[in-house]
Amino acid sequence: MDLEGGFFQNHAKRKESWRTVLTLAFQSLGVVYGDLSTSPLYVFKSTFNINIQNSVTNEEIFGILSFVFWTITLVPLLKYVFIVLKADDNGEGGTFALYSLLCRHTGVNSLPNCQSADEDLTEYHKDAINLSLKSSSGSRLKPIFEKHRVLNRFLLVLALIGTCMVIGDGILTPALSVSSAVSGLEFWVSKEHHKYLEIPVVCIILIGLFALQHYGTHRVGFLFAPVVLTWLLCISSIGVYNIFYWNPHVYRALSPYYMYKFLKKTQREGWMSLCGILLCITGSEAMFADLGHFSQLSIKVAFTSLVYPSLILAYMGQAAYLSQHHNLESDYQIGFYVSVPENLRWPVLVIAILAAVVGSQAIITGTFSIIKQCSALNCFPRVKIIHTSSKIHGQIYIPEINWILMLLCLAVTVGFRDTRSLGHASGLAVITVMLVTTCLMSLVIVLCWRKSIFFALCFMFFFGTIEALYFSASLSKFLEGAWVPIALALIFLIVMCVWHYGTLKKYEFDVQNKVSINWLLSLGPSLGIVRVPGIGVIHTELVSGIPAIFSHTVTNLPAFHQVLVFLCIKSVPVPHVGPEERFLVGRIGPREFRLYRCIVRYGYRDIHRDDSEFEKDLFCSIAEFIRSGTSDDLVKDDNKMTVVGTCSTHAEGIQLNEDEADSLDSAGPSELKEILSPPAIQPRKKVRFIIPASPKIESSAREELQELMEAREAGMAYILGHSYMRAKQGSSLIKKVVINSVFEFLRRNSRSPAYELTAPHASTLEVGMVYHV
């Protein structure tokens, strides 16, 4: 059965009691805040450089502390906790959640096979503000987006850039976090030996981390929150100790005046050092991206009551210690561990490594999740997605991506051999994602929240100015490591754009070459061929019309099945589709043709189930459609379809039982009638529909159900189309390279659709066609 459906219902009905909120807040520590909480390991070390060192006046260290305090206060606290978290897409967050909201409110959509029936989904306008109260700004902007395709593409590319930078962060953050945690070994080995010890240890930890991904984290996930909680309590306690022991007046550095003094004294070097200060907010985006696993209130409670004060105390403690120690050996001993009391360094080192591993695990899982969303929206090649837990939502594993991430992570670790360069690279990835979020959020304020454009401009100007300052500082370190996320993002962006362009062109070709309903009607009930027992399932991307693959097959085969189902499995721009709205069923042609169209809809966060239970739900949805007594007015209108849920959602409707022949004598419930299929010659599973006694069904519907059961018993066959795309003659060189080389390479090396992998080979017919686009 649909595992995601259970989560969807539970998530929708979750009660926000204080016990629930506190439980979710505690659990969020291990998933949301692992990366953000480990930032004290490397911020100060990445900020100080050859030209900026702490002087006797402490203007440098106090200025950096002031920057850190106000950056954490304005970006994670003010921007994300109090504003961005409210822009959820029916409880889901992240870059694609903002993009999905904008698509639904502007009429823009990157999915070609959307239809008007999708707008009737519960989640489509569930969280929308009353659309009749349109502001003048929103009403003027919406037609502009609908009219100009350039803006539509720009919106998609903007979302993809943010996504690519998140993937880049999934490569850089584990390397940075683990390297910074392991750097504490410098206090027990000499500097000469440390550089030969640190990199191998980091690589061993990273290899172990990625190698264990396929087991999932459901067995050890309960340890994540306690590890991060222990780490936060540890750094905050050490911070309080350092404040009172070394410099109780360090709180004065929280004044914004020290930022001015820092920039005035250091000037250009101080501006360039902001790329290190930026690392104090790495992981902030996870508060919004992982919103679907928790709730707004639980994330707010966890951050404001524990994470935020712990981080501030930790940074203040480090600043207090450094303000009284000006004779440290350059950057070698200016990191986190130098401020830890000597007798606590070993335990803190162990906790830090565990916290870094937990934070890295959350980033890797988040990367898997966002790639799954991209694939669902036709923006990434199909990959193998393994759900490592049937109980915990969102725990997935993608083998190909996992090993690519591991190789790239090891490459940057060994290539840089320095946490400062890793910090420059990670900082640029982080701030780019935040800039994308700010741009999309400004549009959400106008188009989705129906606020004045003045508020959107204020939001854009205030937070955009802060992030642009950090972005410019990160770009200044382009040659010192910041080029890495740009190169990675460019590669992933090319892959995503080419895949999206190719799938869009393929769908346009299918639409242009589909067969008209008049051609089908001219064939008669037998379709001009012999109809043999059984059900033929024809997979297609089309939501209306008859695909060219069908006419091609009919003209080359002398027989076809007595029942034909045109099956379309598609994604819709909402996070979840409830089981009660999963199927759209309709007829193609008159009733006696026995041709049905079934559209299966999934949200971009739903789990696709293509197994025996899915087949049962598909079969049962057609039976329920037949029982509903839909008239034959669909002959001329192929777009009219009926919403039918899965078997579990219509308990009072038709139920399906498949039993062995000797088990059919068991009596059913007294209030139900059974339609049994006739005896078979060979022993096989019998099919029976259990339908309610009332309302009465028509004789024609009963006959249709009887024939459907006979066809189900005879077996199912699957007709799959394999397309090979080629650019038309006369196309530009760029189009030929994109279609003939890049897209075909991605198609050959990507995973086949799930329904192709689960279909029995003995019952599968593959039809190949060449598309010239």
Side-chain angles (χ1 to χ4, degrees):
M1 199 54 62
D2 195 349
L3 297 179
E4 192 74 11
F7 168 79
F8 174 81
Q9 292 175 342
N10 294 337
H11 184 75
K13 297 178 181 178
R14 181 183 292 161
K15 294 182 179 180
E16 285 289 319
S17 65
W18 274 110
R19 182 177 180 180
T20 302
V21 169
L22 294 178
T23 301
L24 291 175
F26 173 73
Q27 293 173 349
S28 70
L29 294 177
V31 176
V32 177
Y33 299 109
D35 186 18
L36 183 61
S37 64
T38 55
S39 58
L41 286 170
Y42 43 78
V43 169
F44 283 114
K45 188 174 182 178
S46 298
T47 303
F48 284 100
N49 55 43
I50 298 176
N51 297 319
I52 296 183
Q53 296 183 6
N54 194 24
S55 61
V56 179
T57 59
N58 289 321
E59 290 181 350
E60 293 83 0
I61 191 65
F62 286 169
I64 291 174
L65 176 60
S66 183
F67 265 106
V68 168
F69 171 76
W70 286 105
T71 302
I72 296 178
T73 302
L74 294 177
V75 178
L77 184 62
L78 180 59
K79 176 186 172 182
Y80 281 95
V81 171
F82 290 108
I83 301 177
V84 176
L85 281 181
K86 297 179 180 179
D88 64 299
D89 183 12
N90 295 288
E92 298 292 340
T95 304
F96 269 102
L98 294 176
Y99 178 69
S100 176
L101 280 174
L102 292 172
C103 284
R104 300 204 301 270
H105 286 82
T106 59
V108 177
N109 207 324
S110 62
L111 296 172
N113 55 359
C114 285
Q115 52 192 149
S116 58
D118 298 337
E119 299 182 9
D120 297 328
L121 290 169
T122 303
E123 287 206 1
Y124 204 90
H125 296 297
K126 182 178 178 181
D127 290 344
I129 299 175
N130 188 358
L131 299 182
S132 61
L133 301 176
K134 296 183 178 180
S135 66
S136 57
S137 302
S139 60
R140 287 197 301 266
L141 283 177
K142 183 177 179 180
I144 295 177
F145 275 92
E146 293 176 345
K147 181 179 180 181
H148 296 87
R149 296 184 62 184
V150 176
L151 292 178
N152 301 349
R153 293 169 183 170
F154 172 76
L155 201 62
L156 175 62
V157 171
L158 188 64
L160 293 182
I161 290 175
T163 301
C164 292
M165 284 298 181
V166 170
I167 298 174
D169 195 30
I171 297 169
L172 297 166
T173 294
L176 177 61
S177 299
V178 176
S179 298
S180 300
V182 174
S183 66
L185 294 174
E186 65 189 4
F187 292 98
W188 291 277
V189 295
S190 63
K191 183 176 181 179
E192 291 72 18
H193 293 90
H194 174 258
K195 61 182 180 180
Y196 297 109
L197 178 64
E198 179 181 353
I199 299 301
V201 172
V202 172
C203 290
I204 290 173
I205 294 175
L206 290 175
I207 291 174
L209 176 63
F210 284 99
L212 295 176
Q213 289 298 313
H214 71 281
Y215 291 108
T217 58
H218 55 282
R219 293 184 180 88
V220 295
F222 68 94
L223 295 175
F224 288 177
V227 166
V228 176
L229 176 62
T230 304
W231 168 250
L232 289 172
L233 295 177
C234 176
I235 61 175
S236 60
S237 301
I238 294 174
V240 172
Y241 168 81
N242 286 331
I243 291 172
F244 285 97
Y245 189 82
W246 295 110
N247 191 349
H249 301 290
V250 73
Y251 67 89
R252 297 176 181 174
L254 302 182
S255 170
Y257 175 69
Y258 284 90
M259 291 192 292
Y260 167 75
K261 293 182 66 176
F262 173 76
L263 292 177
K264 182 179 180 181
K265 181 177 180 179
T266 57
Q267 298 182 359
R268 184 175 183 273
E269 293 299 328
W271 163 69
M272 295 176 65
S273 69
L274 293 179
C275 61
I277 298 174
L278 163 66
L279 297 176
C280 69
I281 54 175
T282 179
S284 300
E285 187 75 22
M287 287 191 289
F288 184 48
D290 293 327
L291 180 61
H293 302 290
F294 305 99
S295 65
Q296 290 186 27
L297 186 56
S298 62
I299 291 178
K300 290 179 181 179
V301 168
F303 184 79
T304 55
S305 63
L306 181 61
V307 179
Y308 177 75
S310 297
L311 290 177
I312 298 302
L313 290 174
Y315 287 116
M316 290 178 65
Q318 289 186 60
Y321 180 89
L322 295 174
S323 68
Q324 301 300 321
H325 296 79
H326 304 94
N327 56 350
L328 299 177
E329 300 179 13
S330 185
D331 65 320
Y332 178 60
Q333 289 186 335
I334 204 170
F336 166 78
Y337 291 100
V338 71
S339 63
V340 178
E342 189 172 352
N343 57 344
L344 295 178
R345 283 174 181 167
W346 265 116
V348 171
L349 174 66
V350 174
I351 299 173
I353 293 176
L354 292 175
V357 169
V358 170
S360 301
Q361 171 63 45
I363 289 292
I364 295 169
T365 303
T367 304
F368 292 159
S369 179
I370 200 165
I371 287 177
K372 175 182 177 294
Q373 295 176 38
C374 291
S375 181
L377 296 176
N378 288 336
C379 293
F380 199 86
R382 289 182 295 268
V383 290
K384 182 179 181 180
I385 298 176
I386 300 174
H387 298 274
T388 58
S389 175
S390 60
K391 298 180 180 179
I392 303 177
H393 169 68
Q395 287 208 359
I396 61 175
Y397 168 66
I398 305 177
E400 303 95 325
I401 301 300
N402 182 67
W403 302 123
I404 291 175
L405 291 180
M406 187 190 77
L407 292 176
L408 293 175
C409 191
L410 292 176
V412 297
T413 301
V414 176
F416 285 134
R417 307 177 66 88
D418 178 23
T419 55
R420 180 175 287 116
S421 298
L422 286 172
H424 296 159
S426 179
L428 182 61
V430 168
I431 198 62
T432 304
V433 177
M434 292 183 175
L435 273 172
V436 170
T437 300
T438 299
C439 295
L440 295 177
M441 189 65 204
S442 301
L443 294 174
V444 168
I445 291 175
V446 177
L447 296 170
C448 304
W449 290 358
R450 308 296 180 186
K451 300 295 183 181
S452 170
I453 196 171
F454 173 76
F455 292 102
L457 291 176
C458 289
F459 179 88
M460 183 75 173
F461 177 79
F462 183 75
F463 293 107
T465 302
I466 297 173
E467 291 160 359
L469 178 65
Y470 282 115
F471 182 77
S472 62
S474 296
L475 282 182
S476 68
K477 300 293 184 178
F478 180 84
L479 298 178
E480 300 176 40
W483 61 270
V484 173
I486 296 178
L488 292 173
L490 184 61
I491 294 173
F492 282 109
L493 184 62
I494 291 174
V495 170
M496 291 179 177
C497 290
V498 168
W499 184 261
H500 179 71
Y501 175 78
T503 53
L504 188 63
K505 287 297 179 182
K506 179 181 177 297
Y507 186 81
E508 290 176 356
F509 181 89
D510 288 338
V511 172
Q512 293 170 2
N513 292 273
K514 66 182 180 180
V515 181
S516 66
I517 189 69
N518 293 327
W519 173 83
L520 181 69
L521 294 175
S522 66
L523 298 178
S526 65
L527 303 183
I529 54 178
V530 178
R531 303 292 290 271
V532 298
I535 298 178
V537 179
I538 303 173
H539 286 276
T540 176
E541 300 292 330
L542 295 177
V543 295
S544 63
I546 302 167
I549 183 179
F550 176 71
S551 62
H552 180 70
T553 307
V554 166
T555 56
N556 288 275
L557 289 179
F560 230 110
H561 303 86
Q562 67 187 104
V563 175
L564 291 177
V565 179
F566 291 88
L567 177 63
C568 174
I569 300 176
K570 71 170 190 175
S571 296
V572 290
V574 296
H576 301 285
V577 176
E580 67 279 358
E581 299 175 310
R582 180 75 69 206
F583 293 92
L584 277 176
V585 185
R587 282 194 180 88
I588 300 179
R591 184 192 296 266
E592 59 269 17
F593 277 36
R594 302 297 191 253
L595 265 65
Y596 307 96
R597 182 185 306 283
C598 186
I599 299 175
V600 189
R601 302 178 292 183
Y602 289 99
Y604 57 80
R605 281 190 177 270
D606 279 335
I607 299 175
H608 291 224
R609 305 301 297 176
D610 296 279
D611 50 17
S612 58
E613 290 297 327
F614 170 80
E615 188 177 288
K616 180 180 177 180
D617 282 336
L618 171 65
F619 184 54
C620 199
S621 66
I622 298 175
E624 181 65 20
F625 167 77
I626 295 172
R627 187 191 72 88
S628 63
T630 307
S631 62
D632 291 338
D633 60 352
L634 304 180
V635 176
K636 294 294 183 180
D637 191 355
D638 189 27
N639 294 318
K640 289 186 178 181
M641 304 187 75
T642 303
V643 178
V644 182
T646 59
C647 292
S648 60
T649 60
H650 47 78
E652 297 181 357
I654 283 187
Q655 297 296 317
L656 174 67
N657 279 345
E658 294 180 339
D659 301 318
E660 299 294 340
D662 57 357
S663 63
L664 290 176
D665 296 332
S666 57
S670 58
E671 71 275 9
L672 299 180
K673 289 186 177 180
E674 294 185 0
I675 299 180
L676 300 179
S677 55
I681 299 175
Q682 297 179 352
R684 62 178 69 178
K685 282 189 175 182
K686 291 287 185 177
V687 180
R688 61 177 178 178
F689 284 133
I690 304 179
I691 64 175
S694 61
K696 302 291 184 180
I697 62 174
E698 300 176 358
S699 58
S700 58
R702 183 177 293 273
E703 180 183 348
E704 195 172 357
L705 287 172
Q706 185 81 26
E707 187 171 347
L708 182 63
M709 282 186 296
E710 293 175 7
R712 179 72 174 96
E713 271 201 353
M716 297 181 67
Y718 303 86
I719 295 89
L720 309 177
H722 282 274
S723 59
Y724 302 90
M725 291 181 58
R726 291 290 182 269
K728 294 179 180 178
Q729 291 184 355
S731 299
S732 64
L733 178 61
I734 296 179
K735 185 175 181 179
K736 289 181 179 178
V737 172
V738 169
I739 296 296
N740 297 349
S741 300
V742 182
F743 180 78
E744 275 302 303
F745 173 80
L746 294 174
R747 186 194 62 79
R748 288 194 304 268
N749 292 275
S750 65
R751 187 174 175 85
S752 300
Y755 56 77
E756 293 189 15
L757 299 174
T758 54
H761 293 289
S763 304
T764 302
L765 173 65
E766 297 184 359
V767 181
M769 297 186 67
V770 179
Y771 292 178
H772 294 278
V773 297

